[in-house]
Amino acid sequence: MYFTDRGIEELAGRRGDEGVTLAWLADRLSEFVDLNPEFEVPVERLATWLARLDDEDDD
């Protein structure tokens, strides 16, 4: 397990049974970047990756 997986596991453990919308997630990501501007690039990359998961052109 990577060190960063701990946060992912905590998220799944604490909030894994909740249903959220992508709009809610986008708001939380924007809020996080506002509070932590040094993470703007990785958060934007994650958001772009999530947005394009089903794009057939990326294969």
Side-chain angles (χ1 to χ4, degrees):
M1 171 186 359
Y2 293 104
F3 174 75
T4 55
D5 289 346
R6 288 190 208 167
I8 295 168
E9 287 183 355
E10 181 177 349
L11 174 62
R14 288 179 176 235
R15 317 266 325 231
D17 294 335
E18 296 178 23
V20 299
T21 66
L22 291 177
W24 180 90
L25 177 59
D27 288 344
R28 298 299 70 77
L29 289 173
S30 293
E31 182 180 353
F32 179 82
V33 168
D34 288 346
L35 296 170
N36 303 280
E38 67 274 17
F39 290 105
E40 180 178 6
V41 171
V43 169
E44 288 295 324
R45 287 182 181 170
L46 173 61
T48 300
W49 180 78
L50 289 170
R52 297 177 182 174
L53 275 177
D54 293 335
D55 284 359
E56 293 178 15
D57 297 339
D58 289 344
D59 292 341

